[in-house]
Amino acid sequence: MDWSLLLFRVALLLYTLAFVNTLIPMLSGRRRTVRLTPWLAAAGAGAHTGALVALGIALDRCPIGTLPEVLSVLAWTAILLYLVIVWRYRIEVLHAIILPLVLVVLFVSDLLPGQVVPVAAPLQPWLRPLHLFVIILGVAALFITFAASLLYVIVDRALKAKRPARFVLGLPSLDRCESVGRTSLFWAYLLLTLGIITGAIFSASLYGHFWAWKPQESLAILSWIILGVVVAARLGWGWRGRKVAILTIVGFAAVFLRMLGI
Amino acid sequence: MPIYTYGMSHTSAPLEVRERIAFPPDGLDLAVGRLVATGPVREGLILSTCNRTELVVHARSGAADSLKTFLLGERQTAAKELDRHCVLRTDGDAVRHLFRVASSLDSMILGEAQILGQVKEAYAAAVRGRGIGTILDALLQRSFAVAKKVRTETGVARYPVSIAHAAVSLARDIFGELRDRVVLIVGAGKMARLAARHLIASGVRTVVVVNRSHQRGADLAQELGGGTAPWERLFEEMGKADIVIASTAAPHAVIGHDEVLRVSRTRRGKPLFFIDIAVPRDVDPRVNAIENVYLYDVDDLQGVVRANQEERRHEAATAETIVLRETAAYLEWLRSLDVAPLITDLKAHFRNVGVQEMARFRSRLGPLTPEQEGRVEEMTEALVNKFLHHPIQALKRAAANGGGETLSFLREAFGLPESDRRDPADRGRQPRNDPDESPGSVERTAAEPGAGAAGTDPGAPDDPQ
């Protein structure tokens, strides 16, 4: 019996249930059932943890060898981050954005072929896992940034349209969106920068050059530059508000595409 | 014995009638004392607020007339007026009505918080006036629990329904915590003062008043514990503020689009919230189109209030089902009380038969040791319990289903007298905890629960085992 596959399916089912559970009150206008969502997601994360551990034991290595594995670990990290934020900041609507993202990532990882990318024995065996680890953490943090920015735009629209829907949908205040977005962006950018540096070193140790202008590298550096502009605007010049939120969303889209199409 | 509510509310009587019929808070306990002194009334409570005056009583059937007589004697009113404006509710309707009132479902402003406190005060006065016994005590305690449940489980009280509250709630939508926000007040009107008060009550600590007349602005600033700035520095101050309350008496807009646009450029996207409560408006409506600037005028706020009222009405439907469920549970408890004295009487009756027969046969048994004598008594007791076990179970079931006829039939069958009298020692008891032992969800309104048997002691021995 393939425990990792079974647990993975259970996790997928629980995440899906959690997402469906967030849709019910949005469609019916009632709020009470949403409380179940973080618990369903937490249960899913539990099963997911089990699946990753089982996979690690079966393969006898850290389960970030192939793209599907990396995506799976990314989804798992994003869910954990989301749970921390729900419990810490009480932004419950976050799940309406994070859960579909995670589901997309997981379904994509399920579709992709699971061959191990043949890698010549690198000089430093710890470099690749380190590179992937910081990238994964950075992208997961960026998920949160994206969700907070999207919420900012939604709340802004509702306020401008004179239809504040905070009570009905349990939306956070603009200020809360802003501060969660800012903090998570800071960490995401720091980690992604580290990821690119380690990636370049890894590439150098493997192929003998830091940069090859491959499409994946170009997209990576492009999204890094877009995010860099956002970070400079937000953290450097203290910019905030709607335009910055939109720019953040664009930056995230670039990173997301880069990630799915590695 | 039924529960009645009798009286008038804002739905049935105009203010000029309500104000004459209302009981002053002083001496309410004495009025309750007079109420329970009227013939058929066993327990009573008077709920009197500016929106309603209602008597809640536990009384013998047909007590309606004496309630009317009581009001006629107490207040300056005519019988015709009472007939026109008062509503009488009985049993299930009465219980449900009280639960709705306590939960603020019957209030003029749906979901307002005051009424529960007023019901609690009425209850306290009724306790002092010795009007509260087991039945009403249980009823009132349960109504408090229902009100709490409605408040926490539905949104009936969640959405702000006054302009000032709506403004504060919007400020929270934008800024979250209001502690460190700066409020700029433009103009020194009455509405500005009200809105500022609400914001200060919600945590705002920094208030700056800008007014054309410096003296009036300074007065308001002093009243609110804030500072002032001259009119010329209006837009400079705006650059530092988070919330602007505008309420000047100017006949045209004093805060124009271009000025706000200039101000907003210096703010690096920091949100700015305009509350324009002046009529005619102080702020150019196009200001709302500027990025990160939010403008709400009186009509917008009114619109928010209307939407919130709609939400409250929507939530009230959920609240009504809670009330219905709790009404049914209370009525079930009430009916279970009817059966208690009958069970006591039945057991006493059978035990008496046993004791009498024992006395008759005792001589034929010859000399017995005290131990043997004890055994025989035990046997008599055991027989009575065994005989009555199934009938008592059936009785309880019948009571729960409102089988008043079964109860009176049994009394007749065993030759037990109707016991309509309640123990007067019950009156003025201390509040008890939730009386309901088995909250069922029987959705039926009350039959006359009386059927003659109306003992009120839920602690009566009713289990033969």
Side-chain angles (χ1 to χ4, degrees):
Chain A
M1 165 152 260
D2 189 346
W3 278 104
S4 83
L5 195 64
L6 180 70
L7 283 169
F8 182 73
R9 295 268 186 263
V10 170
L12 205 54
L13 180 71
L14 285 166
Y15 292 153
T16 313
L17 281 179
F19 178 55
V20 169
N21 192 48
T22 64
L23 291 181
I24 295 169
M26 292 209 169
L27 297 178
S28 71
R30 289 189 56 181
R31 257 195 87 187
R32 275 163 62 189
T33 39
V34 186
R35 287 182 198 159
L36 204 60
T37 300
W39 297 104
L40 282 170
H48 202 160
T49 312
L52 292 173
V53 169
L55 187 65
I57 292 170
L59 297 173
D60 198 22
R61 63 173 166 79
C62 198
I64 44 177
T66 67
L67 181 57
E69 288 169 19
V70 169
L71 291 181
S72 179
V73 172
L74 169 67
W76 176 76
T77 316
I79 287 283
L80 290 186
L81 259 185
Y82 143 73
L83 286 173
V84 167
I85 294 200
V86 165
W87 266 295
R88 172 86 173 69
Y89 294 99
R90 303 259 140 225
I91 305 188
E92 289 179 4
V93 273
L94 216 57
H95 45 227
I97 300 165
I98 294 293
L99 285 171
L101 271 181
V102 162
L103 286 174
V104 166
V105 169
L106 284 179
F107 278 114
V108 167
S109 90
D110 222 17
L111 291 176
L112 289 172
Q115 308 122 348
V116 178
V117 186
V119 176
L123 296 173
Q124 288 94 357
W126 47 267
L127 205 50
R128 193 181 130 84
L130 177 72
H131 162 66
L132 287 171
F133 178 73
V134 289
I135 289 271
I136 285 171
L137 216 53
V139 174
L142 207 57
F143 273 32
I144 303 293
T145 315
F146 165 70
S149 303
L150 192 59
L151 282 177
Y152 191 100
V153 175
I154 292 171
V155 176
D156 171 86
R157 268 185 70 106
L159 283 168
K160 287 270 188 197
K162 316 285 165 86
R163 279 194 315 270
R166 180 171 158 220
F167 286 110
V168 183
L169 298 177
L171 292 174
S173 65
L174 276 184
D175 188 67
R176 181 49 59 80
C177 297
E178 175 73 33
S179 66
V180 169
R182 199 170 46 226
T183 313
S184 58
L185 177 65
F186 170 73
W187 287 106
Y189 196 67
L190 195 73
L191 289 163
L192 288 177
T193 308
L194 261 176
I196 286 181
I197 293 170
T198 50
I201 298 174
F202 174 63
S203 164
S205 76
L206 209 57
Y207 310 112
H209 50 74
F210 286 101
W211 206 256
W213 291 112
K214 285 188 284 188
Q216 61 188 55
E217 289 171 354
S218 307
L219 199 53
I221 207 72
L222 177 68
S223 44
W224 184 77
I225 288 169
I226 296 176
L227 279 185
V229 172
V230 179
V231 169
R234 281 184 108 150
L235 304 173
W237 305 321
W239 272 89
R240 45 187 291 174
R242 183 170 158 273
K243 280 216 177 83
V244 175
I246 292 173
L247 199 58
T248 312
I249 293 170
V250 172
F252 170 79
V255 173
F256 195 64
L257 288 177
R258 158 77 185 85
M259 187 192 74
L260 291 183
I262 301 178
Chain B
M1 247 187 325
I3 291 172
Y4 293 104
T5 60
Y6 179 72
M8 56 180 63
S9 72
H10 62 97
T11 55
S12 69
L15 181 59
E16 71 247 30
V17 177
R18 297 202 307 270
E19 67 193 1
R20 262 184 291 123
I21 215 89
F23 285 78
D26 294 331
L28 192 63
D29 46 350
L30 300 178
V32 169
R34 292 192 292 276
L35 174 63
V36 288
T38 57
V41 176
R42 295 267 182 276
E43 302 175 29
L45 169 143
I46 301 171
L47 174 63
S48 191
T49 73
C50 57
N51 278 335
R52 65 182 72 248
T53 293
E54 301 199 63
L55 309 176
V56 181
V57 299
H58 174 230
R60 266 209 306 271
S61 324
D65 285 339
S66 40
L67 295 179
K68 190 170 137 191
T69 317
F70 171 76
L71 272 189
L72 282 175
E74 287 282 327
R75 315 305 305 160
Q76 297 299 315
T77 182
K80 225 165 69 186
E81 205 166 51
L82 289 186
D83 285 340
R84 192 190 312 160
H85 296 298
C86 282
V87 180
L88 177 76
R89 293 180 177 85
T90 324
D91 288 328
D93 288 340
V95 171
R96 180 167 158 256
H97 178 64
L98 181 68
F99 288 176
R100 292 187 75 239
V101 168
S103 313
S104 192
L105 295 175
D106 198 47
S107 296
M108 202 178 257
I109 297 166
L110 182 64
E112 51 98 5
Q114 276 183 338
I115 183 66
L116 181 58
Q118 290 163 334
V119 174
K120 283 183 173 167
E121 278 162 25
Y123 169 74
V127 168
R128 285 199 304 277
R130 301 186 74 70
I132 300 291
T134 317
I135 304 284
L136 281 199
D137 187 47
L139 181 64
L140 268 295
Q141 295 294 345
R142 185 169 276 267
S143 77
F144 303 153
V146 173
K148 192 174 167 208
K149 203 170 178 163
V150 164
R151 276 192 102 68
T152 52
E153 290 186 12
T154 76
V156 154
R158 192 184 303 142
Y159 310 94
V161 289
S162 77
I163 294 239
H165 276 125
V168 171
S169 151
L170 282 166
R172 282 193 194 285
D173 286 357
I174 297 170
F175 300 108
E177 185 61 49
L178 296 182
R179 268 171 66 88
D180 298 321
R181 305 300 164 185
V182 177
V183 176
L184 176 67
I185 299 174
V186 184
K190 208 166 59 185
M191 283 298 280
R193 176 175 297 147
L194 185 69
R197 279 256 171 76
H198 272 86
L199 284 168
I200 289 168
S202 310
V204 167
R205 287 180 301 188
T206 318
V207 178
V208 178
V209 181
V210 173
N211 195 39
R212 273 196 212 274
S213 144
H214 180 73
Q215 192 48 49
R216 282 192 62 201
D219 289 348
L220 179 60
Q222 197 181 7
E223 190 189 319
L224 297 171
T228 54
W231 183 260
E232 297 72 41
R233 285 190 35 212
L234 170 62
F235 292 102
E236 212 171 305
E237 291 295 330
M238 200 179 283
K240 291 183 265 177
D242 296 294
I243 301 167
V244 178
I245 304 175
S247 79
T248 72
H252 52 80
V254 292
I255 298 171
H257 174 267
D258 296 350
E259 290 97 326
V260 176
L261 187 63
R262 259 198 301 282
V263 168
S264 82
R265 286 202 178 120
T266 65
R267 296 172 59 88
R268 299 184 176 179
K270 209 169 100 184
L272 183 57
F273 178 32
F274 284 96
I275 306 168
D276 184 359
I277 39 187
V279 179
R281 286 178 293 185
D282 275 346
V283 187
D284 186 335
R286 289 176 300 158
V287 160
N288 191 50
I290 299 172
E291 281 240 346
N292 307 311
V293 175
Y294 308 92
L295 164 64
Y296 279 70
D297 60 32
V298 174
D299 268 8
D300 297 331
L301 291 170
Q302 199 64 58
V304 171
V305 165
R306 260 199 305 277
N308 287 348
Q309 281 166 339
E310 196 47 52
E311 287 299 331
R312 283 193 175 196
R313 270 194 289 278
H314 185 71
E315 291 291 317
T318 320
E320 295 284 0
T321 62
I322 293 177
V323 165
L324 271 184
R325 207 167 51 226
E326 295 290 332
T327 304
Y330 177 79
L331 291 175
E332 192 181 324
W333 173 78
L334 205 58
R335 282 192 290 267
S336 77
L337 288 188
D338 295 335
V339 77
L342 175 54
I343 290 171
T344 320
D345 288 358
L346 264 181
K347 282 170 121 178
H349 172 71
F350 272 70
R351 208 169 285 127
N352 272 344
V353 171
V355 168
Q356 278 163 17
E357 292 307 295
M358 237 327 262
R360 245 159 36 93
F361 282 89
R362 177 64 189 82
S363 54
R364 297 194 207 165
L365 288 172
L368 293 175
T369 63
E371 195 182 298
Q372 285 171 318
E373 207 148 329
R375 284 285 144 78
V376 172
E377 270 168 31
E378 266 174 40
M379 192 192 71
T380 321
E381 182 75 25
L383 274 179
V384 170
N385 285 343
K386 279 261 150 58
F387 283 140
L388 284 177
H389 177 65
H390 284 292
I392 284 176
Q393 296 301 316
L395 253 181
K396 284 184 174 171
R397 276 196 300 275
N401 294 322
E405 283 164 24
T406 318
L407 267 58
S408 56
F409 169 73
L410 272 176
R411 282 205 177 271
E412 208 183 317
F414 287 100
L416 303 172
E418 298 275 323
S419 68
D420 182 83
R421 283 285 140 200
R422 204 175 54 84
D423 183 6
D426 265 2
R427 217 168 256 180
R429 271 198 185 179
Q430 284 308 301
R432 297 160 43 88
N433 288 329
D434 194 343
D436 181 54
E437 288 150 329
S438 57
S441 55
V442 194
E443 299 261 340
R444 47 163 47 235
T445 43
E448 273 277 312
T456 52
D457 187 0
D462 57 359
D463 195 340
Q465 295 303 312

